[in-house]
Amino acid sequence: QVKLVQSGIEVKEPGASVKISCKASGYTFISYDMHWLRQAPGQTLEWMGRIKVGSGITKYSQQIQERFSITSDTSATTVYMELSSLRSEDTAVYYCARISADSNGYWGHWGQGTLVTVSS
Amino acid sequence: EIEFTQSPATLSLSPGERATLSCRASQSIGRYLGWYQQKPGQAPRLLIYDASNRATGTPARFSGSGSGTDFTLTISSLEPEDFAVYYCQQRSNWGPFGQGTKLEIK
């Protein structure tokens, strides 16, 4: 079955960078885009960006594109997101997500989430 | 950019009761709306896609309806495990999501 397993909790100081991984298994890795979303405490979900894993083509939210990047390692079936120049408002749970094959383009597969806390 | 208004913000009901959650879009989105359930400390779970189609594993007590700008998620008879936050989302490469309705035990 499809599994997305993310790396663990991160605590960073303002101005630092964070890199989170999402290990995929149970499907043909290059056949699906991988998305990253985040959820600040008590807030709704916010889409951050996606990578076409097969080609490496990325698309980012305009709100964070200057500080955000997504990469993938097809040999490791792992996608990475990196957020730089961290601010307190970047404190959130970060999720990788993939659409379901049988639900017409909606995010039916999610990682477990990675909590990133930005604090001095 | 399309925005969503979910109502009510909080819904207090008892197990066995019927729950009706609303999601209104700022402009027409056809039937391209999904509903997600999120429990504390967990990732969202897709329940309904394209307004009325149950995702794999979604119990039959969950149903969705609507089109254009007005959508409804109905839970016919609440089970204890249904108390959670529910989000609506436009099908697209970037969301967006509504602010959520918290369904709590009365």
Side-chain angles (χ1 to χ4, degrees), chain A residues 10-27:
Chain A
E10 300 273 4
V11 179
K12 297 290 183 181
E13 293 190 347
S17 296
V18 67
K19 190 170 185 176
I20 300 169
S21 65
C22 172
K23 167 75 174 176
S25 61
Y27 68 98

Side-chain angles (χ1 to χ4, degrees), chain B residues 15-84:
Chain B
E17 290 193 291
R18 181 184 185 90
T20 302
L21 287 67
S22 174
C23 176
R24 176 166 289 178
S26 59
Q27 59 185 276
S28 177
I29 59 169
R31 292 180 58 81
Y32 294 131
L33 186 100
W35 289 94
Y36 295 78
Q37 176 193 67
Q38 188 177 34
K39 297 180 181 179
Q42 296 185 17
R45 170 195 173 193
L46 178 67
L47 294 176
I48 300 286
Y49 67 94
D50 287 349
S52 61
N53 296 296
R54 280 188 291 273
T56 301
T58 300
R61 63 181 180 273
F62 290 89
S63 62
S65 63
S67 65
T69 60
D70 291 307
F71 300 87
T72 301
L73 175 69
T74 301
I75 311 171
S76 59
S77 179
L78 286 165
E79 297 288 340
E81 62 266 29
D82 299 336
F83 292 92

Side-chain angles (χ1 to χ4, degrees), chain A residues 27-41:
Chain A
Y27 68 98
T28 302
F29 183 64
I30 61 172
S31 295
Y32 291 89
D33 299 353
M34 192 69 78
H35 298 252
W36 285 92
L37 302 94
R38 68 179 177 180
Q39 187 173 34

Side-chain angles (χ1 to χ4, degrees), chain A residues 84-106:
Chain A
S84 61
S85 301
L86 288 168
R87 312 159 182 167
S88 58
E89 52 264 39
D90 294 318
T91 293
V93 177
Y94 290 75
Y95 294 100
C96 57
R98 202 212 83 178
I99 66 168
S100 300
D102 59 356
S103 63
N104 201 26
Y106 295 80

Side-chain angles (χ1 to χ4, degrees), chain B residues 76-100:
Chain B
S76 59
S77 179
L78 286 165
E79 297 288 340
E81 62 266 29
D82 299 336
F83 292 92
V85 179
Y86 291 84
Y87 295 97
C88 58
Q89 180 242 335
Q90 178 195 10
R91 191 202 83 174
S92 74
N93 279 328
W94 51 88
F97 290 81
Q99 292 302 310

